[in-house]
PDB file of all heavy atoms in Angstrom:
ATOM      1  N   MET A   1    -184.817-109.562 116.323  1.00  0.00           N
ATOM      2  CA  MET A   1    -186.103-109.008 115.887  1.00  0.00           C
ATOM      3  C   MET A   1    -185.934-108.035 114.723  1.00  0.00           C
ATOM      4  O   MET A   1    -186.782-107.978 113.832  1.00  0.00           O
ATOM      5  CB  MET A   1    -186.787-108.304 117.059  1.00  0.00           C
ATOM      6  CG  MET A   1    -187.265-109.253 118.142  1.00  0.00           C
ATOM      7  SD  MET A   1    -187.801-108.420 119.652  1.00  0.00           S
ATOM      8  CE  MET A   1    -189.016-107.288 119.051  1.00  0.00           C
ATOM      9  N   LEU A   2    -184.856-107.275 114.720  1.00  0.00           N
ATOM     10  CA  LEU A   2    -184.659-106.250 113.695  1.00  0.00           C
ATOM     11  C   LEU A   2    -183.833-106.729 112.503  1.00  0.00           C
ATOM     12  O   LEU A   2    -183.943-106.168 111.419  1.00  0.00           O
ATOM     13  CB  LEU A   2    -184.006-105.021 114.327  1.00  0.00           C
ATOM     14  CG  LEU A   2    -184.868-104.322 115.382  1.00  0.00           C
ATOM     15  CD1 LEU A   2    -184.073-103.227 116.078  1.00  0.00           C
ATOM     16  CD2 LEU A   2    -186.139-103.771 114.766  1.00  0.00           C
ATOM     17  N   ALA A   3    -183.015-107.746 112.708  1.00  0.00           N
ATOM     18  CA  ALA A   3    -182.153-108.230 111.626  1.00  0.00           C
ATOM     19  C   ALA A   3    -182.687-109.502 110.968  1.00  0.00           C
ATOM     20  O   ALA A   3    -182.300-109.835 109.855  1.00  0.00           O
ATOM     21  CB  ALA A   3    -180.748-108.502 112.164  1.00  0.00           C
ATOM     22  N   GLY A   4    -183.536-110.217 111.697  1.00  0.00           N
ATOM     23  CA  GLY A   4    -184.029-111.484 111.171  1.00  0.00           C
ATOM     24  C   GLY A   4    -183.044-112.618 111.358  1.00  0.00           C
ATOM     25  O   GLY A   4    -183.218-113.697 110.809  1.00  0.00           O
ATOM     26  N   ARG A   5    -182.009-112.357 112.143  1.00  0.00           N
ATOM     27  CA  ARG A   5    -181.006-113.377 112.455  1.00  0.00           C
ATOM     28  C   ARG A   5    -180.295-112.981 113.742  1.00  0.00           C
ATOM     29  O   ARG A   5    -180.274-111.809 114.103  1.00  0.00           O
ATOM     30  CB  ARG A   5    -179.999-113.542 111.326  1.00  0.00           C
ATOM     31  CG  ARG A   5    -179.118-112.325 111.092  1.00  0.00           C
ATOM     32  CD  ARG A   5    -178.065-112.654 110.047  1.00  0.00           C
ATOM     33  NE  ARG A   5    -177.099-111.634 109.841  1.00  0.00           N
ATOM     34  CZ  ARG A   5    -176.013-111.428 110.596  1.00  0.00           C
ATOM     35  NH1 ARG A   5    -175.782-112.163 111.649  1.00  0.00           N
ATOM     36  NH2 ARG A   5    -175.149-110.476 110.299  1.00  0.00           N
ATOM     37  N   PRO A   6    -179.729-113.956 114.437  1.00  0.00           N
ATOM     38  CA  PRO A   6    -179.023-113.615 115.674  1.00  0.00           C
ATOM     39  C   PRO A   6    -177.728-112.858 115.393  1.00  0.00           C
ATOM     40  O   PRO A   6    -177.182-112.932 114.283  1.00  0.00           O
ATOM     41  CB  PRO A   6    -178.748-114.974 116.319  1.00  0.00           C
ATOM     42  CG  PRO A   6    -178.874-115.974 115.232  1.00  0.00           C
ATOM     43  CD  PRO A   6    -179.760-115.390 114.184  1.00  0.00           C
ATOM     44  N   PRO A   7    -177.190-112.167 116.390  1.00  0.00           N
ATOM     45  CA  PRO A   7    -175.976-111.385 116.179  1.00  0.00           C
ATOM     46  C   PRO A   7    -174.715-112.237 116.010  1.00  0.00           C
ATOM     47  O   PRO A   7    -173.722-111.761 115.473  1.00  0.00           O
ATOM     48  CB  PRO A   7    -175.878-110.518 117.432  1.00  0.00           C
ATOM     49  CG  PRO A   7    -176.697-111.210 118.456  1.00  0.00           C
ATOM     50  CD  PRO A   7    -177.754-111.947 117.713  1.00  0.00           C
ATOM     51  N   PHE A   8    -174.758-113.473 116.448  1.00  0.00           N
ATOM     52  CA  PHE A   8    -173.600-114.369 116.332  1.00  0.00           C
ATOM     53  C   PHE A   8    -174.068-115.660 115.680  1.00  0.00           C
ATOM     54  O   PHE A   8    -174.920-116.365 116.226  1.00  0.00           O
ATOM     55  CB  PHE A   8    -172.990-114.646 117.711  1.00  0.00           C
ATOM     56  CG  PHE A   8    -172.583-113.389 118.420  1.00  0.00           C
ATOM     57  CD1 PHE A   8    -173.435-112.777 119.326  1.00  0.00           C
ATOM     58  CD2 PHE A   8    -171.352-112.794 118.166  1.00  0.00           C
ATOM     59  CE1 PHE A   8    -173.071-111.602 119.975  1.00  0.00           C
ATOM     60  CE2 PHE A   8    -170.982-111.617 118.795  1.00  0.00           C
ATOM     61  CZ  PHE A   8    -171.843-111.027 119.701  1.00  0.00           C
ATOM     62  N   ARG A   9    -173.503-115.963 114.511  1.00  0.00           N
ATOM     63  CA  ARG A   9    -173.899-117.168 113.780  1.00  0.00           C
ATOM     64  C   ARG A   9    -172.667-117.970 113.401  1.00  0.00           C
ATOM     65  O   ARG A   9    -171.596-117.411 113.166  1.00  0.00           O
ATOM     66  CB  ARG A   9    -174.636-116.802 112.491  1.00  0.00           C
ATOM     67  CG  ARG A   9    -175.896-116.031 112.716  1.00  0.00           C
ATOM     68  CD  ARG A   9    -176.652-115.790 111.435  1.00  0.00           C
ATOM     69  NE  ARG A   9    -175.808-115.122 110.445  1.00  0.00           N
ATOM     70  CZ  ARG A   9    -176.108-115.021 109.158  1.00  0.00           C
ATOM     71  NH1 ARG A   9    -177.200-115.525 108.692  1.00  0.00           N
ATOM     72  NH2 ARG A   9    -175.300-114.392 108.336  1.00  0.00           N
ATOM     73  N   ALA A  10    -172.855-119.276 113.352  1.00  0.00           N
ATOM     74  CA  ALA A  10    -171.803-120.183 112.907  1.00  0.00           C
ATOM     75  C   ALA A  10    -172.458-121.532 112.623  1.00  0.00           C
ATOM     76  O   ALA A  10    -173.658-121.716 112.851  1.00  0.00           O
ATOM     77  CB  ALA A  10    -170.713-120.308 113.957  1.00  0.00           C
ATOM     78  N   HIS A  11    -171.657-122.476 112.134  1.00  0.00           N
ATOM     79  CA  HIS A  11    -172.182-123.776 111.726  1.00  0.00           C
ATOM     80  C   HIS A  11    -172.424-124.749 112.871  1.00  0.00           C
ATOM     81  O   HIS A  11    -173.103-125.746 112.688  1.00  0.00           O
ATOM     82  CB  HIS A  11    -171.249-124.409 110.690  1.00  0.00           C
ATOM     83  CG  HIS A  11    -171.271-123.674 109.390  1.00  0.00           C
ATOM     84  ND1 HIS A  11    -170.342-122.692 109.094  1.00  0.00           N
ATOM     85  CD2 HIS A  11    -172.121-123.733 108.348  1.00  0.00           C
ATOM     86  CE1 HIS A  11    -170.616-122.201 107.896  1.00  0.00           C
ATOM     87  NE2 HIS A  11    -171.685-122.814 107.422  1.00  0.00           N
ATOM     88  N   SER A  12    -171.876-124.471 114.039  1.00  0.00           N
ATOM     89  CA  SER A  12    -172.081-125.360 115.181  1.00  0.00           C
ATOM     90  C   SER A  12    -172.238-124.529 116.451  1.00  0.00           C
ATOM     91  O   SER A  12    -171.856-123.355 116.495  1.00  0.00           O
ATOM     92  CB  SER A  12    -170.897-126.319 115.339  1.00  0.00           C
ATOM     93  OG  SER A  12    -169.745-125.622 115.770  1.00  0.00           O
ATOM     94  N   ALA A  13    -172.786-125.160 117.473  1.00  0.00           N
ATOM     95  CA  ALA A  13    -172.979-124.461 118.747  1.00  0.00           C
ATOM     96  C   ALA A  13    -171.646-124.010 119.333  1.00  0.00           C
ATOM     97  O   ALA A  13    -171.537-122.894 119.852  1.00  0.00           O
ATOM     98  CB  ALA A  13    -173.721-125.371 119.727  1.00  0.00           C
ATOM     99  N   VAL A  14    -170.638-124.856 119.244  1.00  0.00           N
ATOM    100  CA  VAL A  14    -169.318-124.498 119.774  1.00  0.00           C
ATOM    101  C   VAL A  14    -168.749-123.296 119.023  1.00  0.00           C
ATOM    102  O   VAL A  14    -168.177-122.386 119.639  1.00  0.00           O
ATOM    103  CB  VAL A  14    -168.354-125.709 119.693  1.00  0.00           C
ATOM    104  CG1 VAL A  14    -166.942-125.302 120.062  1.00  0.00           C
ATOM    105  CG2 VAL A  14    -168.848-126.823 120.590  1.00  0.00           C
ATOM    106  N   SER A  15    -168.940-123.243 117.730  1.00  0.00           N
ATOM    107  CA  SER A  15    -168.453-122.118 116.936  1.00  0.00           C
ATOM    108  C   SER A  15    -169.198-120.827 117.275  1.00  0.00           C
ATOM    109  O   SER A  15    -168.606-119.744 117.295  1.00  0.00           O
ATOM    110  CB  SER A  15    -168.588-122.420 115.443  1.00  0.00           C
ATOM    111  OG  SER A  15    -167.761-123.497 115.082  1.00  0.00           O
ATOM    112  N   VAL A  16    -170.491-120.933 117.566  1.00  0.00           N
ATOM    113  CA  VAL A  16    -171.260-119.759 117.984  1.00  0.00           C
ATOM    114  C   VAL A  16    -170.702-119.229 119.299  1.00  0.00           C
ATOM    115  O   VAL A  16    -170.472-118.027 119.456  1.00  0.00           O
ATOM    116  CB  VAL A  16    -172.764-120.083 118.125  1.00  0.00           C
ATOM    117  CG1 VAL A  16    -173.509-118.937 118.805  1.00  0.00           C
ATOM    118  CG2 VAL A  16    -173.380-120.378 116.774  1.00  0.00           C
ATOM    119  N   LEU A  17    -170.451-120.124 120.245  1.00  0.00           N
ATOM    120  CA  LEU A  17    -169.896-119.711 121.535  1.00  0.00           C
ATOM    121  C   LEU A  17    -168.532-119.047 121.355  1.00  0.00           C
ATOM    122  O   LEU A  17    -168.231-118.051 122.014  1.00  0.00           O
ATOM    123  CB  LEU A  17    -169.791-120.903 122.482  1.00  0.00           C
ATOM    124  CG  LEU A  17    -171.121-121.539 122.887  1.00  0.00           C
ATOM    125  CD1 LEU A  17    -170.876-122.757 123.764  1.00  0.00           C
ATOM    126  CD2 LEU A  17    -172.033-120.555 123.563  1.00  0.00           C
ATOM    127  N   HIS A  18    -167.729-119.582 120.443  1.00  0.00           N
ATOM    128  CA  HIS A  18    -166.423-118.978 120.162  1.00  0.00           C
ATOM    129  C   HIS A  18    -166.597-117.553 119.627  1.00  0.00           C
ATOM    130  O   HIS A  18    -165.893-116.632 120.050  1.00  0.00           O
ATOM    131  CB  HIS A  18    -165.655-119.846 119.162  1.00  0.00           C
ATOM    132  CG  HIS A  18    -164.339-119.263 118.753  1.00  0.00           C
ATOM    133  ND1 HIS A  18    -163.254-119.246 119.580  1.00  0.00           N
ATOM    134  CD2 HIS A  18    -163.957-118.662 117.594  1.00  0.00           C
ATOM    135  CE1 HIS A  18    -162.243-118.661 118.966  1.00  0.00           C
ATOM    136  NE2 HIS A  18    -162.645-118.298 117.750  1.00  0.00           N
ATOM    137  N   ARG A  19    -167.525-117.368 118.721  1.00  0.00           N
ATOM    138  CA  ARG A  19    -167.770-116.030 118.167  1.00  0.00           C
ATOM    139  C   ARG A  19    -168.241-115.061 119.247  1.00  0.00           C
ATOM    140  O   ARG A  19    -167.828-113.902 119.285  1.00  0.00           O
ATOM    141  CB  ARG A  19    -168.794-116.091 117.037  1.00  0.00           C
ATOM    142  CG  ARG A  19    -168.237-116.650 115.765  1.00  0.00           C
ATOM    143  CD  ARG A  19    -169.289-116.569 114.668  1.00  0.00           C
ATOM    144  NE  ARG A  19    -168.782-117.163 113.460  1.00  0.00           N
ATOM    145  CZ  ARG A  19    -168.187-116.480 112.491  1.00  0.00           C
ATOM    146  NH1 ARG A  19    -168.026-115.186 112.601  1.00  0.00           N
ATOM    147  NH2 ARG A  19    -167.756-117.094 111.415  1.00  0.00           N
ATOM    148  N   ILE A  20    -169.134-115.543 120.121  1.00  0.00           N
ATOM    149  CA  ILE A  20    -169.624-114.685 121.203  1.00  0.00           C
ATOM    150  C   ILE A  20    -168.471-114.229 122.084  1.00  0.00           C
ATOM    151  O   ILE A  20    -168.416-113.064 122.491  1.00  0.00           O
ATOM    152  CB  ILE A  20    -170.694-115.434 122.037  1.00  0.00           C
ATOM    153  CG1 ILE A  20    -171.980-115.599 121.223  1.00  0.00           C
ATOM    154  CG2 ILE A  20    -170.981-114.709 123.347  1.00  0.00           C
ATOM    155  CD1 ILE A  20    -173.003-116.521 121.859  1.00  0.00           C
ATOM    156  N   CYS A  21    -167.541-115.144 122.367  1.00  0.00           N
ATOM    157  CA  CYS A  21    -166.427-114.835 123.274  1.00  0.00           C
ATOM    158  C   CYS A  21    -165.336-113.990 122.625  1.00  0.00           C
ATOM    159  O   CYS A  21    -164.666-113.213 123.314  1.00  0.00           O
ATOM    160  CB  CYS A  21    -165.792-116.132 123.787  1.00  0.00           C
ATOM    161  SG  CYS A  21    -166.857-117.064 124.888  1.00  0.00           S
ATOM    162  N   LYS A  22    -165.132-114.124 121.324  1.00  0.00           N
ATOM    163  CA  LYS A  22    -163.949-113.543 120.691  1.00  0.00           C
ATOM    164  C   LYS A  22    -164.192-112.422 119.686  1.00  0.00           C
ATOM    165  O   LYS A  22    -163.265-111.690 119.350  1.00  0.00           O
ATOM    166  CB  LYS A  22    -163.159-114.644 119.977  1.00  0.00           C
ATOM    167  CG  LYS A  22    -162.699-115.766 120.876  1.00  0.00           C
ATOM    168  CD  LYS A  22    -161.648-115.287 121.833  1.00  0.00           C
ATOM    169  CE  LYS A  22    -161.175-116.448 122.708  1.00  0.00           C
ATOM    170  NZ  LYS A  22    -160.232-116.041 123.707  1.00  0.00           N
ATOM    171  N   PHE A  23    -165.409-112.290 119.181  1.00  0.00           N
ATOM    172  CA  PHE A  23    -165.644-111.333 118.098  1.00  0.00           C
ATOM    173  C   PHE A  23    -166.828-110.423 118.398  1.00  0.00           C
ATOM    174  O   PHE A  23    -167.799-110.858 119.006  1.00  0.00           O
ATOM    175  CB  PHE A  23    -165.910-112.069 116.781  1.00  0.00           C
ATOM    176  CG  PHE A  23    -164.769-112.935 116.339  1.00  0.00           C
ATOM    177  CD1 PHE A  23    -164.799-114.300 116.563  1.00  0.00           C
ATOM    178  CD2 PHE A  23    -163.662-112.377 115.729  1.00  0.00           C
ATOM    179  CE1 PHE A  23    -163.739-115.104 116.167  1.00  0.00           C
ATOM    180  CE2 PHE A  23    -162.602-113.171 115.326  1.00  0.00           C
ATOM    181  CZ  PHE A  23    -162.640-114.539 115.552  1.00  0.00           C
ATOM    182  N   PRO A  24    -166.782-109.180 117.953  1.00  0.00           N
ATOM    183  CA  PRO A  24    -167.938-108.288 118.119  1.00  0.00           C
ATOM    184  C   PRO A  24    -169.039-108.653 117.116  1.00  0.00           C
ATOM    185  O   PRO A  24    -168.776-109.298 116.091  1.00  0.00           O
ATOM    186  CB  PRO A  24    -167.363-106.903 117.821  1.00  0.00           C
ATOM    187  CG  PRO A  24    -166.220-107.167 116.905  1.00  0.00           C
ATOM    188  CD  PRO A  24    -165.646-108.504 117.321  1.00  0.00           C
ATOM    189  N   HIS A  25    -170.238-108.253 117.422  1.00  0.00           N
ATOM    190  CA  HIS A  25    -171.351-108.476 116.503  1.00  0.00           C
ATOM    191  C   HIS A  25    -171.233-107.541 115.300  1.00  0.00           C
ATOM    192  O   HIS A  25    -170.578-106.494 115.378  1.00  0.00           O
ATOM    193  CB  HIS A  25    -172.679-108.250 117.220  1.00  0.00           C
ATOM    194  CG  HIS A  25    -172.880-106.841 117.668  1.00  0.00           C
ATOM    195  ND1 HIS A  25    -172.280-106.333 118.819  1.00  0.00           N
ATOM    196  CD2 HIS A  25    -173.580-105.808 117.135  1.00  0.00           C
ATOM    197  CE1 HIS A  25    -172.616-105.075 118.953  1.00  0.00           C
ATOM    198  NE2 HIS A  25    -173.402-104.714 117.947  1.00  0.00           N
ATOM    199  N   GLU A  26    -171.868-107.912 114.221  1.00  0.00           N
ATOM    200  CA  GLU A  26    -171.937-107.022 113.061  1.00  0.00           C
ATOM    201  C   GLU A  26    -172.963-105.930 113.372  1.00  0.00           C
ATOM    202  O   GLU A  26    -174.066-106.236 113.839  1.00  0.00           O
ATOM    203  CB  GLU A  26    -172.368-107.800 111.819  1.00  0.00           C
ATOM    204  CG  GLU A  26    -172.409-106.977 110.570  1.00  0.00           C
ATOM    205  CD  GLU A  26    -172.752-107.780 109.337  1.00  0.00           C
ATOM    206  OE1 GLU A  26    -173.003-108.989 109.444  1.00  0.00           O
ATOM    207  OE2 GLU A  26    -172.766-107.176 108.254  1.00  0.00           O
ATOM    208  N   PRO A  27    -172.612-104.673 113.168  1.00  0.00           N
ATOM    209  CA  PRO A  27    -173.575-103.603 113.483  1.00  0.00           C
ATOM    210  C   PRO A  27    -174.908-103.825 112.772  1.00  0.00           C
ATOM    211  O   PRO A  27    -174.955-104.180 111.587  1.00  0.00           O
ATOM    212  CB  PRO A  27    -172.878-102.342 112.972  1.00  0.00           C
ATOM    213  CG  PRO A  27    -171.420-102.679 113.033  1.00  0.00           C
ATOM    214  CD  PRO A  27    -171.352-104.151 112.680  1.00  0.00           C
ATOM    215  N   ILE A  28    -175.975-103.618 113.501  1.00  0.00           N
ATOM    216  CA  ILE A  28    -177.327-103.874 112.989  1.00  0.00           C
ATOM    217  C   ILE A  28    -177.629-103.039 111.745  1.00  0.00           C
ATOM    218  O   ILE A  28    -178.314-103.503 110.836  1.00  0.00           O
ATOM    219  CB  ILE A  28    -178.389-103.635 114.094  1.00  0.00           C
ATOM    220  CG1 ILE A  28    -179.777-104.087 113.662  1.00  0.00           C
ATOM    221  CG2 ILE A  28    -178.458-102.194 114.501  1.00  0.00           C
ATOM    222  CD1 ILE A  28    -179.998-105.541 113.735  1.00  0.00           C
ATOM    223  N   GLN A  29    -177.082-101.842 111.664  1.00  0.00           N
ATOM    224  CA  GLN A  29    -177.392-100.990 110.515  1.00  0.00           C
ATOM    225  C   GLN A  29    -176.767-101.501 109.217  1.00  0.00           C
ATOM    226  O   GLN A  29    -177.211-101.106 108.146  1.00  0.00           O
ATOM    227  CB  GLN A  29    -177.005 -99.546 110.798  1.00  0.00           C
ATOM    228  CG  GLN A  29    -177.914 -98.946 111.858  1.00  0.00           C
ATOM    229  CD  GLN A  29    -177.962 -97.455 111.803  1.00  0.00           C
ATOM    230  OE1 GLN A  29    -176.957 -96.819 111.541  1.00  0.00           O
ATOM    231  NE2 GLN A  29    -179.125 -96.894 112.054  1.00  0.00           N
ATOM    232  N   ARG A  30    -175.775-102.358 109.293  1.00  0.00           N
ATOM    233  CA  ARG A  30    -175.238-102.985 108.077  1.00  0.00           C
ATOM    234  C   ARG A  30    -176.223-104.009 107.515  1.00  0.00           C
ATOM    235  O   ARG A  30    -176.202-104.308 106.328  1.00  0.00           O
ATOM    236  CB  ARG A  30    -173.918-103.683 108.361  1.00  0.00           C
ATOM    237  CG  ARG A  30    -172.770-102.744 108.541  1.00  0.00           C
ATOM    238  CD  ARG A  30    -171.485-103.510 108.560  1.00  0.00           C
ATOM    239  NE  ARG A  30    -170.413-102.674 109.060  1.00  0.00           N
ATOM    240  CZ  ARG A  30    -169.272-103.130 109.497  1.00  0.00           C
ATOM    241  NH1 ARG A  30    -169.037-104.439 109.521  1.00  0.00           N
ATOM    242  NH2 ARG A  30    -168.342-102.317 109.938  1.00  0.00           N
ATOM    243  N   ILE A  31    -177.065-104.539 108.377  1.00  0.00           N
ATOM    244  CA  ILE A  31    -178.025-105.557 107.965  1.00  0.00           C
ATOM    245  C   ILE A  31    -179.379-104.936 107.652  1.00  0.00           C
ATOM    246  O   ILE A  31    -180.045-105.318 106.706  1.00  0.00           O
ATOM    247  CB  ILE A  31    -178.169-106.612 109.080  1.00  0.00           C
ATOM    248  CG1 ILE A  31    -176.816-107.286 109.307  1.00  0.00           C
ATOM    249  CG2 ILE A  31    -179.225-107.653 108.743  1.00  0.00           C
ATOM    250  CD1 ILE A  31    -176.719-108.040 110.581  1.00  0.00           C
ATOM    251  N   ASN A  32    -179.772-103.972 108.482  1.00  0.00           N
ATOM    252  CA  ASN A  32    -181.062-103.299 108.313  1.00  0.00           C
ATOM    253  C   ASN A  32    -180.858-101.802 108.518  1.00  0.00           C
ATOM    254  O   ASN A  32    -180.868-101.322 109.644  1.00  0.00           O
ATOM    255  CB  ASN A  32    -182.078-103.865 109.316  1.00  0.00           C
ATOM    256  CG  ASN A  32    -183.438-103.235 109.187  1.00  0.00           C
ATOM    257  OD1 ASN A  32    -183.628-102.261 108.453  1.00  0.00           O
ATOM    258  ND2 ASN A  32    -184.408-103.778 109.905  1.00  0.00           N
ATOM    259  N   ASN A  33    -180.692-101.082 107.434  1.00  0.00           N
ATOM    260  CA  ASN A  33    -180.418 -99.643 107.547  1.00  0.00           C
ATOM    261  C   ASN A  33    -181.659 -98.828 107.917  1.00  0.00           C
ATOM    262  O   ASN A  33    -181.586 -97.617 108.046  1.00  0.00           O
ATOM    263  CB  ASN A  33    -179.767 -99.105 106.276  1.00  0.00           C
ATOM    264  CG  ASN A  33    -180.639 -99.232 105.062  1.00  0.00           C
ATOM    265  OD1 ASN A  33    -181.792 -99.637 105.132  1.00  0.00           O
ATOM    266  ND2 ASN A  33    -180.081 -98.902 103.914  1.00  0.00           N
ATOM    267  N   GLN A  34    -182.781 -99.499 108.116  1.00  0.00           N
ATOM    268  CA  GLN A  34    -184.006 -98.824 108.556  1.00  0.00           C
ATOM    269  C   GLN A  34    -184.063 -98.660 110.074  1.00  0.00           C
ATOM    270  O   GLN A  34    -184.925 -97.959 110.590  1.00  0.00           O
ATOM    271  CB  GLN A  34    -185.238 -99.617 108.096  1.00  0.00           C
ATOM    272  CG  GLN A  34    -185.330 -99.784 106.592  1.00  0.00           C
ATOM    273  CD  GLN A  34    -185.554 -98.454 105.886  1.00  0.00           C
ATOM    274  OE1 GLN A  34    -186.391 -97.660 106.313  1.00  0.00           O
ATOM    275  NE2 GLN A  34    -184.800 -98.206 104.834  1.00  0.00           N
ATOM    276  N   VAL A  35    -183.149 -99.309 110.775  1.00  0.00           N
ATOM    277  CA  VAL A  35    -183.127 -99.230 112.243  1.00  0.00           C
ATOM    278  C   VAL A  35    -182.647 -97.835 112.646  1.00  0.00           C
ATOM    279  O   VAL A  35    -181.576 -97.393 112.209  1.00  0.00           O
ATOM    280  CB  VAL A  35    -182.200-100.313 112.836  1.00  0.00           C
ATOM    281  CG1 VAL A  35    -182.073-100.152 114.346  1.00  0.00           C
ATOM    282  CG2 VAL A  35    -182.706-101.702 112.481  1.00  0.00           C
ATOM    283  N   PRO A  36    -183.415 -97.146 113.481  1.00  0.00           N
ATOM    284  CA  PRO A  36    -182.986 -95.813 113.931  1.00  0.00           C
ATOM    285  C   PRO A  36    -181.648 -95.874 114.674  1.00  0.00           C
ATOM    286  O   PRO A  36    -181.342 -96.868 115.348  1.00  0.00           O
ATOM    287  CB  PRO A  36    -184.105 -95.374 114.881  1.00  0.00           C
ATOM    288  CG  PRO A  36    -185.286 -96.206 114.493  1.00  0.00           C
ATOM    289  CD  PRO A  36    -184.728 -97.505 113.999  1.00  0.00           C
ATOM    290  N   LEU A  37    -180.873 -94.828 114.553  1.00  0.00           N
ATOM    291  CA  LEU A  37    -179.553 -94.761 115.180  1.00  0.00           C
ATOM    292  C   LEU A  37    -179.630 -94.984 116.690  1.00  0.00           C
ATOM    293  O   LEU A  37    -178.773 -95.653 117.265  1.00  0.00           O
ATOM    294  CB  LEU A  37    -178.892 -93.416 114.864  1.00  0.00           C
ATOM    295  CG  LEU A  37    -177.458 -93.246 115.329  1.00  0.00           C
ATOM    296  CD1 LEU A  37    -176.562 -94.329 114.742  1.00  0.00           C
ATOM    297  CD2 LEU A  37    -176.945 -91.878 114.942  1.00  0.00           C
TER     298      LEU A  37
END
């Protein structure tokens, strides 16, 4: 809702699942610095 995109993105569903399992999300403030702390 605040970034306009999901926290985990990739080119395929399997790649998205891999990102969810292995990598942290990109902090929302890097995408939308208007989001309150």
Side-chain angles (χ1 to χ4, degrees):
M1 291 170 55
L2 296 173
R5 66 174 186 82
F8 303 95
R9 299 185 304 166
H11 291 95
S12 70
V14 172
S15 295
V16 169
L17 296 177
H18 177 74
R19 285 185 183 266
I20 289 170
C21 292
K22 301 292 181 184
F23 299 100
H25 65 281
E26 182 176 2
I28 188 78
Q29 291 203 323
R30 286 190 194 163
I31 299 164
N32 181 352
N33 62 5
Q34 300 294 314
V35 175
L37 186 58

